[in-house]
Amino acid sequence: MYRFAPIMLSMMIVPTTALHAQAMPLPQFLERATALEKKGAMAIFSGDLKLLQKEIAASAGALKTERLAAAKAGRKAGYCPPAKGVQIGAKEILTHFRTIPPAQRERMQVRDGMRHFMARKFPCPT
């Protein structure tokens, strides 16, 4: 039974690695978001809306985990949001993503764009 443990462990690791490989590039995210904006109210019927919402939620969750891990390890966090929490609108995020220079944007995933946004919106005190 124990000789199969490494195989089972590797089976559990593969899906996690696959999830990281599926991170959405920022230019693709913006392309889809722009298409949804053009649809207006009809965007709520698009499958892309849920996909983009999930991508932002996953990125925000991963960044929160990174920030808390940095704090626990005694390292400086990349951003410092208020303790009470904050609501951020989609338009605010998209506006920020569009301010990132295209050459830089080409090399970024959505998580990188969110990290850039959060660092600008919630800088840590020096």
Side-chain angles (χ1 to χ4, degrees):
M1 178 167 176
Y2 290 108
R3 62 185 161 172
F4 295 111
I7 294 170
M8 292 183 71
L9 180 61
S10 67
M11 287 170 48
M12 292 179 354
I13 293 172
V14 171
T16 304
T17 307
L19 286 176
H20 291 294
Q22 294 176 359
M24 185 180 292
L26 188 54
Q28 180 185 1
F29 181 91
L30 284 173
E31 184 179 304
R32 289 181 178 204
T34 300
L36 284 175
E37 287 175 327
K38 289 178 182 176
K39 288 183 179 184
M42 297 304 288
I44 62 170
F45 299 111
S46 172
D48 276 352
L49 181 61
K50 288 264 189 229
L51 175 71
L52 298 183
Q53 289 173 333
K54 286 180 182 178
E55 187 70 29
I56 289 293
S59 295
L63 292 175
K64 180 179 180 180
T65 300
E66 283 179 15
R67 180 179 55 81
L68 295 175
K72 187 174 180 179
R75 297 186 316 265
K76 182 180 176 189
Y79 65 97
C80 297
K84 64 181 167 82
V86 63
Q87 292 286 350
I88 300 171
K91 288 200 183 288
E92 185 178 8
I93 293 169
L94 290 174
T95 299
H96 180 79
F97 285 176
R98 290 178 177 130
T99 65
I100 299 170
Q104 184 179 354
R105 211 184 301 155
E106 286 295 320
R107 300 183 313 269
M108 296 174 81
Q109 303 291 327
V110 174
R111 185 181 304 178
D112 301 323
M114 283 297 293
R115 187 179 291 110
H116 193 268
F117 170 75
M118 298 298 275
R120 300 295 180 291
K121 183 158 179 78
F122 304 112
C124 294
T126 54

